[in-house]
Amino acid sequence: MERFTTNNDKYFEQIKKELTEIPLPKSQSLIFTYCEIGQLLSYGFSVSLIKDEKHFLKIKRWNAAFDNQRFNLKIFNLDRLAVAEKNVELTNAELFRIEKLIEDKLELKKNQAVVLDGLFCQFKTKDCCLNWNTDEEMATALFKVVTFLRNIRCQNE
């Protein structure tokens, strides 16, 4: 039986879940996942680094325009979201760059502002989980990682 709701929060949580949950076989391990969902659910994607015999990125993209159009009556089908996946093999240079970027201390800056309609951003490893709503909250090292991952995602759409 499919799950329907009119609750925007449940819709958002299901989008986040589908973008961030990465079931893996025992031969693979998850290094990190970066997830970003746009203002007012205008877009969503995640980039995960997975270690196998070779490292690769799993890129998930939510087709927000499609789902928001077909759920225009605000009745959301939580079991049929339009999320596509793509695996991208990394060159040695790309892997080296990512490893160097995530070696630095990834942290957020203190933010005294109130954000009404910001992004939802999350960078998660097995040891930490950072959540923020604006690019201004990222410290320099985290900003470099996120910028690199955003560029990789754009190159592979």
Side-chain angles (χ1 to χ4, degrees), residues 39-76:
Q39 299 166 327
L40 304 173
L41 301 179
S42 55
Y43 69 94
F45 71 92
S46 68
V47 180
S48 301
L49 178 60
I50 297 171
K51 181 179 179 180
D52 199 347
E53 295 163 4
K54 290 190 169 196
H55 288 70
F56 66 93
L57 294 176
K58 179 175 286 293
I59 300 173
K60 291 185 171 186
R61 187 179 67 82
W62 172 52
N63 189 338
F66 178 76
D67 275 351
N68 290 331
Q69 181 181 4
R70 77 183 163 134
F71 302 144
N72 67 336
L73 297 177
K74 304 297 181 200
I75 301 170
F76 310 109

Side-chain angles (χ1 to χ4, degrees), residues 123-151:
F123 188 88
K124 189 174 185 177
T125 67
K126 65 179 180 180
D127 299 324
C128 78
C129 183
L130 301 171
N131 293 299
W132 66 96
N133 300 109
T134 66
D135 285 352
E136 291 76 21
E137 293 178 77
M138 290 185 281
T140 303
L142 182 59
F143 184 79
K144 287 178 183 179
V145 171
V146 168
T147 300
F148 181 78
L149 296 174
R150 286 173 177 167
N151 288 336

Side-chain angles (χ1 to χ4, degrees), residues 20 22 29-35 47-50 98-99 101-107 122-132 142 145 149:
T20 59
I22 313 285
S29 60
L30 181 66
I31 308 300
F32 69 76
T33 297
Y34 171 68
C35 178
V47 180
S48 301
L49 178 60
I50 297 171
I98 289 174
E99 287 174 336
L101 287 171
I102 63 175
E103 276 179 4
D104 290 335
K105 185 173 183 180
L106 303 179
E107 59 188 4
Q122 181 180 75
F123 188 88
K124 189 174 185 177
T125 67
K126 65 179 180 180
D127 299 324
C128 78
C129 183
L130 301 171
N131 293 299
W132 66 96
L142 182 59
V145 171
L149 296 174

